[in-house]
Amino acid sequence: MAPLPAAADVTATYSIGKAQLTVEVDDSGDYRAEVPGAFALVRRGGDEFIMITHDGKVSATRSDVFFALLKTKAAKNAPTGGPGATTRFVTTQGKDEVVAGRKGSNWQIAPEAQGPAALVLVVSADPQLAPVGGVFQSGIARALDGFAPFFGNNMSFRDQIVAVFAKGTVLRLAGPENIVLQNVSGNEIDAGRFASPTELLDSAAFDAALSEPAQPAARP
């Protein structure tokens, strides 16, 4: 599921905890979603890659290889049963909000037993942001599919998250991480931002690269 091409280049900048997330989409539909020093998801033409920084070294692979590896590792580490596999969730709509000058609808996904909301999202139908929303929708759906073993047979939570993301482009997300839109730019994006990685690792090599123990920091 590739995001729609933008009518013009668009860059959305978010705070994500203490870090920064940028999502850049050009008018052909190529994109780059990046947290500097952590990861970058890049689409160029019909190909998509993920680059992850571990211990100062960047390792790259195709995104389909990464998400398949994620699902395999999740299956090995998922607990048997637990609240993620049994809790029923409901989605409710709250009051509209304005974030970074953009109006959005508020949605809360919470346990049916009136517990605190697991996720609160504000999403916007602003057409300028639609290509950015497409990047979120595609990435979130595949990440949730990768973590499917943690949900057991209870996919309702996953489906409700996907349904809310499909309503527009996220302006604010409150959950395990707080993601908040800071600004939007329509400036032209350098095509070099969508360059393909020079070296792509297969699944085993990528897993091995990310499993290497971090080296201790050098003493001054």
Side-chain angles (χ1 to χ4, degrees):
M1 180 174 62
L4 294 174
D9 293 3
V10 58
T11 299
T13 302
Y14 295 82
S15 61
I16 176 169
K18 295 182 179 180
Q20 177 176 287
L21 167 69
T22 58
V23 182
E24 305 163 88
V25 189
D26 76 1
D27 57 7
S28 73
D30 288 348
Y31 56 75
R32 182 184 185 99
E34 178 179 25
V35 175
F39 79 88
L41 178 69
V42 177
R43 181 178 186 270
R44 179 169 181 160
D47 297 316
E48 188 184 67
F49 315 94
I50 191 160
M51 293 166 277
I52 294 183
T53 302
H54 173 68
D55 198 24
K57 180 181 178 181
V58 178
S59 300
T61 191
R62 291 182 57 87
S63 63
D64 56 348
V65 172
F66 169 78
F67 285 112
L69 179 62
L70 177 64
K71 192 166 188 175
T72 297
K73 295 180 78 69
K76 293 179 180 178
N77 294 291
T80 301
T86 58
T87 303
R88 292 177 58 87
F89 290 87
V90 294
T91 300
T92 57
Q93 185 172 4
K95 294 182 178 179
D96 290 352
E97 294 185 29
V98 175
V99 180
R102 312 268 170 157
K103 184 178 180 180
S105 55
N106 178 296
W107 298 90
Q108 302 173 27
I109 304 175
E112 190 177 46
Q114 299 183 344
L119 288 175
V120 178
L121 298 97
V122 178
V123 297
S124 170
D126 188 324
Q128 183 190 15
L129 290 174
V132 174
V135 177
F136 272 106
Q137 291 158 25
S138 175
I140 290 295
R142 287 177 295 165
L144 289 171
D145 287 342
F147 283 108
F150 284 89
F151 300 122
N153 294 320
N154 176 21
M155 297 303 289
S156 173
F157 186 45
R158 177 263 186 211
D159 292 344
Q160 289 178 68
I161 295 172
V162 170
V164 173
F165 271 96
K167 295 178 183 295
T169 303
V170 63
L171 302 180
R172 181 174 72 85
L173 184 155
E177 288 283 1
N178 290 324
I179 301 175
V180 184
L181 179 68
Q182 300 298 310
N183 57 71
V184 179
S185 169
N187 294 338
E188 183 176 356
I189 303 168
D190 184 342
R193 294 288 293 164
F194 313 113
S196 305
T198 56
E199 180 185 11
L200 291 175
L201 302 179
D202 62 20
S203 181
F206 188 76
D207 187 25
L210 298 185
S211 299
E212 292 178 356
Q215 296 298 316
R219 294 183 178 181

